[in-house]
Each structure stands twice: as structure tokens, then as C-alpha cells.
């Protein structure tokens, strides 16, 4: 009877530990051990035709893999100096970025036409270290025309 009871406990504990192990693997955080990660930064400055910074411009980035498939989309806004910067950590390879600039605040800072940039100009800004593959930066400065 004792051997039968130990088998049941063994199977039960194996099942519980298996479920707990799989549930701890779910999430967006990169694994610290054994999973290569890379940082991608897109940054720049948005000005009008007279080089005056524009605040509140929506900057929507679409990062694409080597097969031109969209792998990450993100949106931020320019600050008071017309600058924007976003860092994305991932487990994927980015080949290019399509960045769209849109004036979404109405006439608050003037009305500007939308613009789009596609760039493959990645600059390595941090070196590789173990599983960390480094940091790559896209710089996208844009002048917007008034409507």
C-alpha cells in the first residue's frame, strides 16, 4: 500500500511542478539566461520648415524583419523640443523601420502635413556582451510642412 501511495504522490507532484514551470515561462520579459536579446532605439527631432521644434507630433514606428514582415509597432509623441526617443528590447532581428509623423493635436501647435520615412540605417551604439546582442539606433529627423 505504501508503494502505491508514494507513486500517486510522485505523479501528483510531477504534474503540479510541471504546471508551475510552464506558467512561469509566460510573459513579455526576455529570459535572463540563454536567450539572446537586442535593444533597438528610434529617435529624432521634428521641426517645421523654419527649424522650429514642434511639440505633440505623433511618431508611429513600424519595425520590420529581414522579410519585411511587421514585428513591432509602437507610438510616442514629441516633447517640447520636438524630440522623441523610444527603446525597445526584443528577441528578434530588425532590418528596417517605417516611421510616420502625424499632427494629431489639431491647431494647437499649427497644422502640419503627415510625413513618412523608411530607413535601414541602423547604427550599433552598444557592443555585444554574452547573450546581449547590443543596441542599434535608427535616427529619423523630419521637417513637416504646414497645411
Amino acid at each position: 500500500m505504501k508503494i502505491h501511495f508514494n507513486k500517486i504522490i510522485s505523479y501528483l507532484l510531477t504534474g503540479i511542478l510541471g504546471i508551475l514551470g510552464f506558467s512561469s515561462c509566460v510573459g513579455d520579459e526576455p529570459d535572463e539566461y540563454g536567450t539572446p536579446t537586442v535593444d533597438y532605439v528610434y529617435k529624432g527631432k521634428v521641426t517645421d520648415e523654419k527649424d522650429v521644434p514642434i511639440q505633440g507630433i505623433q511618431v508611429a514606428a513600424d519595425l520590420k524583419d529581414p522579410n519585411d514582415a511587421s514585428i513591432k509597432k509602437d507610438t510616442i509623441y514629441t516633447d517640447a523640443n520636438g524630440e522623441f526617443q523610444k527603446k525597445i528590447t526584443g528577441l528578434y532581428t530588425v532590418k528596417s523601420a517605417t516611421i510616420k509623423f502625424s499632427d494629431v493635436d489639431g491647431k494647437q501647435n499649427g497644422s502640419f502635413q503627415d510625413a513618412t520615412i523608411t530607413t535601414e540605417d541602423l547604427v550599433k551604439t552598444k557592443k555585444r556582451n554574452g547573450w546581449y546582442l547590443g543596441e542599434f539606433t535608427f535616427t529619423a529627423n523630419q521637417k513637416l510642412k504646414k497645411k
Side-chain angles (χ1 to χ4, degrees), residues 17-77:
L17 291 175
I19 290 171
L20 291 175
F22 282 117
S23 68
S24 69
C25 296
V26 177
D28 283 341
E29 297 298 319
D31 187 5
E32 186 176 335
Y33 303 102
T35 303
T37 60
V38 63
D39 291 327
Y40 293 99
V41 176
Y42 63 96
K43 65 180 183 174
K45 187 172 185 175
V46 179
T47 60
D48 65 9
E49 295 173 303
K50 297 177 182 177
D51 288 330
V52 176
I54 308 170
Q55 180 179 2
I57 297 296
Q58 182 183 60
V59 181
D62 183 7
L63 304 181
K64 299 192 182 233
D65 71 7
N67 297 320
D68 286 332
S70 183
I71 54 175
K72 181 74 174 178
K73 293 184 179 185
D74 202 9
T75 302
I76 57 174
Y77 295 87

Side-chain angles (χ1 to χ4, degrees), residues 21 32 40 47 53 64 75 91 100 104 109 116 122-123:
E32 186 176 335
Y40 293 99
T47 60
K64 299 192 182 233
T75 302
L91 308 173
K100 182 177 181 185
V104 294
N109 293 322
T116 303
L122 277 156
V123 176

